[in-house]
Amino acid sequence: MLVATREFSKNPSKVLRNAAEHPVVVTKYGQPVACLVSMDYWYSLMRQMQEKEFDEQVARAGDYAIGDNTGNTLPS
């Protein structure tokens, strides 16, 4: 959902209620300037990012564990 800053200024409570249901992008002169999301949505995004970072760290550690100290993979 897109909301102009003017509309947000007129009725912020309505925009915040909408943000509880889905992300709301606030625009100024037609350009996005902010995105409002519920805290549940925010926490979900943070968990996803942490899980992705953890998976990437595990993958890097696994690559290093089967490689030599130069980072090159050892032959099987």
Side-chain angles (χ1 to χ4, degrees):
M1 171 180 203
L2 294 175
V3 175
T5 53
R6 185 178 319 147
E7 183 180 344
F8 180 72
S9 295
K10 285 181 186 177
N11 197 345
S13 294
K14 179 182 176 187
V15 176
L16 291 173
R17 281 192 303 274
N18 285 328
E21 301 297 321
H22 46 77
V24 176
V25 176
V26 181
T27 63
K28 187 171 186 173
Y29 303 114
Q31 297 299 313
V33 294
C35 183
L36 302 172
V37 296
S38 70
M39 291 308 299
D40 288 340
Y41 190 85
W42 177 258
Y43 292 136
S44 174
L45 289 173
M46 293 301 102
R47 275 193 303 276
Q48 290 175 23
M49 287 177 53
Q50 288 172 342
E51 289 170 3
K52 183 179 181 209
E53 288 172 5
F54 177 78
D55 290 345
E56 290 170 352
Q57 289 175 353
V58 168
R60 283 192 301 271
D63 289 344
Y64 185 76
I66 61 170
D68 60 20
N69 61 358
T70 65
N72 297 322
T73 303
L74 296 174
S76 300

Coordinates of all heavy atoms in Angstrom, one line a residue:
M1 N 0.8 -1.2 0.0 CA 0.0 0.0 0.0 C 0.9 1.2 0.0 O 1.9 1.3 0.7 CB -0.9 0.0 1.2 CG -1.7 1.2 1.5 SD -2.7 1.1 2.9 CE -3.9 2.4 2.5
L2 N 0.6 2.2 -0.8 CA 1.3 3.5 -0.9 C 0.4 4.6 -0.3 O -0.8 4.6 -0.5 CB 1.6 3.9 -2.3 CG 2.5 3.0 -3.1 CD1 2.6 3.4 -4.6 CD2 3.9 3.0 -2.5
V3 N 1.1 5.4 0.5 CA 0.4 6.6 1.2 C 1.3 7.8 1.0 O 2.5 7.7 1.3 CB 0.2 6.3 2.7 CG1 -0.4 7.5 3.4 CG2 -0.7 5.1 2.8
A4 N 0.7 8.9 0.6 CA 1.5 10.1 0.5 C 1.7 10.7 1.9 O 0.9 10.5 2.8 CB 0.7 11.1 -0.4
T5 N 2.8 11.5 2.0 CA 3.0 12.1 3.3 C 1.9 13.0 3.8 O 1.6 13.0 5.0 CB 4.3 12.9 3.3 OG1 4.3 13.8 2.2 CG2 5.6 12.0 3.2
R6 N 1.2 13.6 2.8 CA 0.1 14.5 3.2 C -1.0 13.6 3.8 O -1.6 14.0 4.8 CB -0.4 15.2 1.9 CG -1.5 16.2 2.2 CD -2.0 16.9 0.9 NE -0.9 17.2 0.1 CZ -0.9 17.3 -1.3 NH1 -2.0 17.0 -1.9 NH2 0.1 17.6 -2.0
E7 N -1.3 12.5 3.2 CA -2.4 11.6 3.8 C -1.9 11.1 5.1 O -2.8 11.0 6.0 CB -2.7 10.5 2.8 CG -3.8 9.5 3.3 CD -4.1 8.4 2.3 OE1 -3.6 8.5 1.1 OE2 -4.7 7.4 2.7
F8 N -0.7 10.7 5.2 CA -0.2 10.2 6.5 C -0.3 11.3 7.6 O -0.7 11.0 8.7 CB 1.3 9.8 6.4 CG 1.9 9.3 7.7 CD1 1.5 8.0 8.2 CD2 2.8 10.0 8.4 CE1 2.1 7.6 9.4 CE2 3.4 9.6 9.5 CZ 3.0 8.3 10.0
S9 N 0.0 12.5 7.3 CA -0.1 13.6 8.2 C -1.6 13.9 8.6 O -1.8 14.2 9.8 CB 0.4 14.9 7.6 OG 1.8 14.8 7.4
K10 N -2.5 13.7 7.7 CA -3.9 13.9 8.0 C -4.5 12.9 8.9 O -5.3 13.2 9.8 CB -4.7 13.9 6.7 CG -4.6 15.2 5.9 CD -5.5 15.1 4.7 CE -5.2 16.3 3.7 NZ -6.0 16.1 2.5
N11 N -4.1 11.6 8.7 CA -4.7 10.5 9.5 C -3.7 9.5 9.8 O -3.7 8.3 9.3 CB -5.9 10.0 8.7 CG -6.8 9.2 9.6 OD1 -6.4 8.8 10.8 ND2 -8.0 8.9 9.1
P12 N -2.7 9.8 10.7 CA -1.7 8.8 11.0 C -2.2 7.5 11.6 O -1.7 6.4 11.4 CB -0.7 9.5 11.9 CG -1.5 10.7 12.5 CD -2.5 11.0 11.4
S13 N -3.3 7.6 12.4 CA -3.8 6.4 13.1 C -4.3 5.4 12.0 O -4.2 4.2 12.2 CB -5.0 6.8 14.0 OG -4.5 7.6 15.1
K14 N -5.0 5.9 11.0 CA -5.5 5.0 9.9 C -4.3 4.3 9.2 O -4.4 3.1 9.0 CB -6.3 5.8 8.9 CG -6.8 5.0 7.8 CD -7.5 5.8 6.7 CE -8.0 5.0 5.6 NZ -8.5 5.8 4.5
V15 N -3.3 5.0 8.9 CA -2.1 4.5 8.3 C -1.4 3.4 9.2 O -1.1 2.3 8.7 CB -1.1 5.5 7.9 CG1 0.2 4.9 7.3 CG2 -1.7 6.5 6.9
L16 N -1.4 3.7 10.5 CA -0.8 2.7 11.4 C -1.6 1.5 11.5 O -1.1 0.4 11.6 CB -0.6 3.4 12.8 CG 0.5 4.4 12.8 CD1 0.5 5.1 14.2 CD2 1.9 3.9 12.5
R17 N -3.0 1.6 11.5 CA -3.8 0.5 11.5 C -3.6 -0.4 10.2 O -3.5 -1.6 10.3 CB -5.3 0.9 11.6 CG -5.8 1.3 12.9 CD -7.3 1.4 13.0 NE -7.9 2.3 12.1 CZ -8.0 3.7 12.3 NH1 -7.6 4.2 13.5 NH2 -8.5 4.4 11.4
N18 N -3.4 0.3 9.1 CA -3.1 -0.5 7.8 C -1.8 -1.2 7.9 O -1.7 -2.3 7.5 CB -3.1 0.5 6.6 CG -4.5 0.9 6.2 OD1 -5.5 0.1 6.4 ND2 -4.7 2.1 5.7
A19 N -0.8 -0.5 8.6 CA 0.5 -1.1 8.7 C 0.5 -2.4 9.6 O 1.3 -3.3 9.5 CB 1.5 -0.1 9.3
A20 N -0.5 -2.5 10.4 CA -0.7 -3.7 11.3 C -1.1 -4.9 10.4 O -0.8 -6.1 10.8 CB -1.8 -3.5 12.3
E21 N -1.6 -4.7 9.2 CA -2.1 -5.7 8.3 C -1.1 -6.0 7.2 O -0.9 -7.2 6.8 CB -3.4 -5.4 7.7 CG -4.5 -5.1 8.7 CD -4.8 -6.4 9.5 OE1 -4.8 -7.5 8.9 OE2 -5.0 -6.2 10.7
H22 N -0.4 -5.0 6.7 CA 0.6 -5.2 5.6 C 1.5 -4.0 5.6 O 1.2 -2.9 6.1 CB -0.2 -5.3 4.3 CG -1.3 -4.3 4.1 ND1 -1.0 -3.0 3.7 CD2 -2.6 -4.5 4.2 CE1 -2.2 -2.4 3.6 NE2 -3.1 -3.2 3.9
P23 N 2.7 -4.1 5.0 CA 3.6 -3.0 4.9 C 2.9 -1.8 4.1 O 2.2 -1.9 3.2 CB 4.8 -3.5 4.1 CG 4.7 -5.0 4.3 CD 3.2 -5.3 4.4
V24 N 3.2 -0.6 4.6 CA 2.8 0.7 4.0 C 4.0 1.5 3.7 O 4.8 1.8 4.5 CB 1.9 1.4 5.0 CG1 1.5 2.8 4.4 CG2 0.7 0.6 5.4
V25 N 4.1 1.9 2.4 CA 5.1 2.7 1.9 C 4.6 4.1 1.9 O 3.6 4.4 1.3 CB 5.6 2.3 0.5 CG1 6.7 3.2 0.0 CG2 6.1 0.8 0.5
V26 N 5.4 5.0 2.6 CA 5.0 6.4 2.6 C 5.9 7.1 1.5 O 7.1 6.9 1.4 CB 5.3 7.0 4.0 CG1 5.0 8.5 4.0 CG2 4.6 6.3 5.1
T27 N 5.2 7.9 0.7 CA 5.9 8.6 -0.4 C 5.8 10.1 -0.2 O 4.9 10.6 0.4 CB 5.2 8.2 -1.8 OG1 3.9 8.7 -1.8 CG2 5.3 6.7 -2.0
K28 N 6.8 10.7 -0.8 CA 6.9 12.2 -0.8 C 7.2 12.6 -2.3 O 8.3 12.1 -2.8 CB 7.9 12.7 0.1 CG 7.9 14.2 0.3 CD 8.8 14.7 1.4 CE 8.7 16.2 1.6 NZ 9.4 16.6 2.8
Y29 N 6.4 13.4 -2.9 CA 6.6 13.7 -4.3 C 6.7 12.4 -5.2 O 7.5 12.4 -6.1 CB 7.8 14.6 -4.5 CG 7.7 15.9 -3.7 CD1 8.6 16.1 -2.7 CD2 6.7 16.8 -4.0 CE1 8.5 17.3 -2.0 CE2 6.6 18.0 -3.2 CZ 7.5 18.2 -2.2 OH 7.5 19.4 -1.4
G30 N 5.9 11.4 -4.8 CA 5.9 10.2 -5.6 C 7.1 9.2 -5.3 O 7.1 8.1 -5.9
Q31 N 8.0 9.6 -4.5 CA 9.2 8.8 -4.2 C 9.0 8.1 -2.8 O 8.7 8.8 -1.9 CB 10.5 9.6 -4.3 CG 10.7 10.2 -5.6 CD 10.9 9.1 -6.7 OE1 11.6 8.1 -6.5 NE2 10.2 9.3 -7.8
P32 N 9.4 6.9 -2.6 CA 9.3 6.2 -1.3 C 10.3 6.9 -0.3 O 11.4 7.1 -0.7 CB 9.6 4.8 -1.6 CG 10.1 4.7 -3.0 CD 9.8 6.0 -3.7
V33 N 9.8 7.2 0.9 CA 10.7 7.8 1.9 C 10.7 7.0 3.2 O 11.5 7.1 4.0 CB 10.3 9.2 2.2 CG1 10.5 10.1 1.0 CG2 8.9 9.4 2.7
A34 N 9.7 6.1 3.3 CA 9.6 5.3 4.6 C 8.7 4.1 4.3 O 7.9 4.1 3.4 CB 9.0 6.1 5.7
C35 N 8.9 3.0 5.1 CA 8.1 1.9 5.1 C 7.6 1.5 6.5 O 8.5 1.4 7.4 CB 8.8 0.7 4.4 SG 7.8 -0.8 4.3
L36 N 6.4 1.4 6.7 CA 5.8 1.1 8.0 C 5.4 -0.4 8.0 O 4.7 -0.8 7.1 CB 4.6 2.0 8.4 CG 4.9 3.5 8.4 CD1 3.6 4.3 8.5 CD2 5.9 3.8 9.5
V37 N 5.8 -1.1 9.0 CA 5.4 -2.5 9.2 C 5.1 -2.8 10.6 O 5.5 -2.1 11.5 CB 6.6 -3.5 8.7 CG1 6.9 -3.3 7.2 CG2 7.8 -3.3 9.5
S38 N 4.3 -3.8 10.8 CA 4.0 -4.2 12.2 C 5.2 -4.7 12.9 O 6.2 -5.2 12.2 CB 2.9 -5.2 12.2 OG 3.4 -6.5 11.7
M39 N 5.2 -4.8 14.2 CA 6.4 -5.3 14.9 C 6.5 -6.8 14.7 O 7.6 -7.3 14.6 CB 6.2 -5.0 16.4 CG 6.4 -3.5 16.8 SD 7.9 -2.8 16.1 CE 9.2 -3.7 16.9
D40 N 5.4 -7.5 14.5 CA 5.4 -8.9 14.2 C 6.2 -9.2 12.9 O 7.0 -10.0 12.8 CB 4.1 -9.6 14.2 CG 3.4 -9.7 15.5 OD1 4.1 -9.7 16.5 OD2 2.2 -9.9 15.6
Y41 N 5.8 -8.4 11.9 CA 6.5 -8.4 10.6 C 8.0 -8.1 10.7 O 8.8 -8.8 10.2 CB 5.8 -7.5 9.6 CG 6.2 -7.6 8.2 CD1 5.6 -8.6 7.4 CD2 7.2 -6.8 7.6 CE1 6.0 -8.7 6.0 CE2 7.6 -7.0 6.3 CZ 7.0 -7.9 5.5 OH 7.4 -8.1 4.2
W42 N 8.3 -7.1 11.5 CA 9.7 -6.7 11.7 C 10.5 -7.8 12.3 O 11.6 -8.1 11.9 CB 9.7 -5.4 12.6 CG 11.1 -5.0 12.9 CD1 11.8 -5.2 14.1 CD2 12.0 -4.3 12.0 NE1 13.0 -4.6 14.0 CE2 13.2 -4.1 12.8 CE3 11.9 -3.8 10.7 CZ2 14.3 -3.5 12.2 CZ3 13.0 -3.2 10.2 CH2 14.2 -3.0 10.9
Y43 N 9.9 -8.4 13.4 CA 10.6 -9.5 14.1 C 10.8 -10.7 13.1 O 11.9 -11.3 13.2 CB 9.9 -9.9 15.3 CG 9.9 -8.9 16.4 CD1 8.8 -8.6 17.2 CD2 11.1 -8.2 16.7 CE1 8.8 -7.6 18.2 CE2 11.1 -7.2 17.7 CZ 9.9 -6.9 18.4 OH 10.0 -6.0 19.4
S44 N 9.8 -10.9 12.3 CA 9.9 -12.0 11.3 C 11.1 -11.7 10.3 O 11.9 -12.6 10.0 CB 8.6 -12.2 10.6 OG 8.7 -13.1 9.5
L45 N 11.2 -10.5 9.9 CA 12.3 -10.1 9.0 C 13.6 -10.3 9.6 O 14.6 -10.8 9.0 CB 12.1 -8.7 8.5 CG 11.0 -8.4 7.5 CD1 10.9 -6.9 7.2 CD2 11.2 -9.2 6.2
M46 N 13.7 -9.9 10.9 CA 15.0 -10.0 11.6 C 15.4 -11.4 11.8 O 16.5 -11.8 11.7 CB 14.9 -9.3 13.0 CG 14.7 -7.8 12.9 SD 16.1 -7.0 12.0 CE 15.4 -6.7 10.4
R47 N 14.4 -12.3 12.1 CA 14.7 -13.7 12.3 C 15.2 -14.3 11.0 O 16.2 -15.1 11.0 CB 13.4 -14.5 12.8 CG 13.2 -14.5 14.3 CD 12.2 -15.5 14.7 NE 10.9 -15.3 14.0 CZ 10.0 -14.4 14.4 NH1 10.2 -13.7 15.5 NH2 8.8 -14.3 13.8
Q48 N 14.5 -14.0 9.9 CA 15.0 -14.5 8.6 C 16.4 -14.0 8.3 O 17.2 -14.8 7.7 CB 14.0 -14.0 7.5 CG 12.7 -14.6 7.5 CD 11.7 -14.0 6.5 OE1 12.1 -13.4 5.5 NE2 10.4 -14.1 6.7
M49 N 16.7 -12.8 8.5 CA 18.1 -12.3 8.3 C 19.1 -13.1 9.2 O 20.2 -13.4 8.7 CB 18.2 -10.8 8.5 CG 17.5 -10.0 7.5 SD 17.5 -8.2 7.8 CE 19.2 -7.9 8.1
Q50 N 18.8 -13.3 10.4 CA 19.7 -14.0 11.3 C 19.9 -15.4 10.9 O 21.0 -15.9 10.9 CB 19.2 -13.9 12.8 CG 19.3 -12.6 13.4 CD 18.6 -12.5 14.7 OE1 17.8 -13.3 15.1 NE2 18.9 -11.5 15.5
E51 N 18.8 -16.0 10.5 CA 18.9 -17.4 10.0 C 19.8 -17.5 8.7 O 20.6 -18.4 8.6 CB 17.5 -18.0 9.7 CG 16.7 -18.3 11.0 CD 15.3 -18.6 10.7 OE1 14.9 -18.7 9.5 OE2 14.6 -18.8 11.7
K52 N 19.6 -16.5 7.8 CA 20.4 -16.5 6.6 C 21.9 -16.3 6.9 O 22.7 -17.0 6.4 CB 19.9 -15.4 5.6 CG 20.6 -15.4 4.3 CD 20.1 -14.3 3.4 CE 20.9 -14.4 2.1 NZ 21.0 -13.1 1.5
E53 N 22.1 -15.4 7.8 CA 23.5 -15.1 8.2 C 24.1 -16.3 8.9 O 25.3 -16.7 8.6 CB 23.6 -13.9 9.1 CG 23.3 -12.6 8.5 CD 23.2 -11.4 9.5 OE1 23.5 -11.6 10.7 OE2 22.9 -10.3 9.0
F54 N 23.4 -17.0 9.7 CA 23.9 -18.2 10.4 C 24.2 -19.3 9.3 O 25.2 -19.9 9.4 CB 22.8 -18.7 11.4 CG 23.3 -20.0 12.0 CD1 24.2 -20.0 13.1 CD2 22.7 -21.2 11.7 CE1 24.6 -21.2 13.7 CE2 23.1 -22.4 12.3 CZ 24.1 -22.4 13.3
D55 N 23.2 -19.5 8.4 CA 23.5 -20.5 7.3 C 24.7 -20.2 6.5 O 25.5 -21.1 6.2 CB 22.2 -20.6 6.4 CG 21.0 -21.2 7.1 OD1 21.2 -21.8 8.2 OD2 19.9 -21.0 6.5
E56 N 24.9 -18.9 6.2 CA 26.1 -18.5 5.5 C 27.4 -18.8 6.3 O 28.4 -19.2 5.7 CB 26.0 -17.0 5.1 CG 25.0 -16.8 4.0 CD 24.7 -15.3 3.7 OE1 25.2 -14.5 4.5 OE2 24.0 -15.0 2.8
Q57 N 27.3 -18.5 7.6 CA 28.5 -18.7 8.4 C 28.8 -20.2 8.5 O 30.0 -20.6 8.4 CB 28.3 -18.2 9.8 CG 28.3 -16.7 9.9 CD 28.0 -16.1 11.2 OE1 27.6 -16.9 12.1 NE2 28.1 -14.8 11.4
V58 N 27.8 -21.0 8.6 CA 28.0 -22.5 8.7 C 28.6 -23.0 7.4 O 29.5 -23.8 7.3 CB 26.6 -23.2 9.0 CG1 26.8 -24.7 8.7 CG2 26.2 -22.9 10.4
A59 N 28.1 -22.5 6.2 CA 28.6 -22.9 4.9 C 30.1 -22.5 4.8 O 30.9 -23.3 4.3 CB 27.8 -22.2 3.8
R60 N 30.4 -21.3 5.2 CA 31.8 -20.8 5.2 C 32.7 -21.7 6.1 O 33.8 -22.1 5.7 CB 31.9 -19.4 5.5 CG 31.5 -18.4 4.4 CD 31.9 -17.0 4.7 NE 31.4 -16.5 6.0 CZ 30.2 -15.9 6.1 NH1 29.5 -15.7 5.0 NH2 29.8 -15.4 7.2
A61 N 32.2 -22.0 7.3 CA 33.0 -22.8 8.2 C 33.1 -24.2 7.6 O 34.2 -24.8 7.7 CB 32.3 -22.9 9.6
G62 N 32.1 -24.7 7.0 CA 32.2 -26.1 6.4 C 33.2 -26.1 5.2 O 34.0 -27.0 5.1
D63 N 33.2 -25.0 4.4 CA 34.2 -24.9 3.3 C 35.6 -24.9 3.9 O 36.5 -25.5 3.4 CB 34.0 -23.7 2.5 CG 32.7 -23.8 1.7 OD1 32.2 -24.9 1.5 OD2 32.2 -22.7 1.2
Y64 N 35.8 -24.1 5.0 CA 37.1 -24.0 5.6 C 37.6 -25.3 6.2 O 38.7 -25.7 6.1 CB 37.2 -22.9 6.6 CG 38.6 -22.6 7.1 CD1 39.5 -21.9 6.4 CD2 38.9 -23.1 8.4 CE1 40.8 -21.7 6.9 CE2 40.2 -22.9 8.9 CZ 41.1 -22.2 8.1 OH 42.4 -22.0 8.6
A65 N 36.6 -26.0 6.8 CA 37.0 -27.2 7.5 C 37.4 -28.3 6.6 O 38.3 -29.1 7.0 CB 35.7 -27.7 8.3
I66 N 37.0 -28.3 5.3 CA 37.4 -29.4 4.4 C 38.5 -28.8 3.5 O 38.9 -29.5 2.6 CB 36.2 -29.9 3.6 CG1 35.6 -28.8 2.7 CG2 35.2 -30.6 4.4 CD1 34.6 -29.3 1.7
G67 N 38.9 -27.6 3.7 CA 40.0 -27.1 2.9 C 41.3 -27.0 3.7 O 41.4 -27.4 4.8
D68 N 42.3 -26.5 3.0 CA 43.6 -26.3 3.7 C 43.6 -24.9 4.3 O 42.7 -24.1 4.2 CB 44.8 -26.6 2.8 CG 44.8 -25.7 1.6 OD1 44.2 -24.6 1.6 OD2 45.5 -26.0 0.6
N69 N 44.7 -24.5 4.9 CA 44.7 -23.2 5.6 C 44.8 -22.0 4.6 O 44.8 -20.9 5.0 CB 45.9 -23.1 6.6 CG 47.2 -23.3 5.9 OD1 47.3 -23.5 4.7 ND2 48.3 -23.3 6.7
T70 N 44.9 -22.3 3.3 CA 44.9 -21.2 2.3 C 43.5 -21.0 1.8 O 43.2 -20.0 1.1 CB 45.7 -21.6 1.1 OG1 45.2 -22.7 0.4 CG2 47.2 -21.8 1.5
G71 N 42.5 -21.8 2.3 CA 41.1 -21.6 1.8 C 40.8 -22.4 0.6 O 39.7 -22.5 0.1
N72 N 41.9 -23.1 0.1 CA 41.7 -24.0 -1.1 C 41.1 -25.3 -0.6 O 41.4 -25.8 0.4 CB 43.0 -24.3 -1.8 CG 43.6 -23.0 -2.4 OD1 42.8 -22.1 -2.9 ND2 44.9 -22.9 -2.3
T73 N 40.2 -25.9 -1.4 CA 39.6 -27.2 -1.1 C 40.6 -28.3 -1.4 O 41.3 -28.3 -2.4 CB 38.4 -27.4 -2.0 OG1 37.5 -26.3 -1.7 CG2 37.7 -28.7 -1.6
L74 N 40.7 -29.2 -0.4 CA 41.5 -30.3 -0.6 C 40.9 -31.4 -1.5 O 39.7 -31.5 -1.5 CB 41.8 -31.0 0.8 CG 42.6 -30.1 1.8 CD1 42.7 -30.8 3.1 CD2 44.0 -29.8 1.2
P75 N 41.7 -32.1 -2.3 CA 41.1 -33.1 -3.1 C 40.4 -34.2 -2.3 O 40.9 -34.5 -1.2 CB 42.3 -33.7 -3.9 CG 43.5 -33.1 -3.3 CD 43.1 -32.0 -2.4
S76 N 39.4 -34.8 -2.8 CA 38.6 -35.9 -2.1 C 39.4 -37.2 -2.3 O 40.0 -37.5 -3.2 CB 37.2 -36.0 -2.7 OG 36.5 -34.8 -2.6

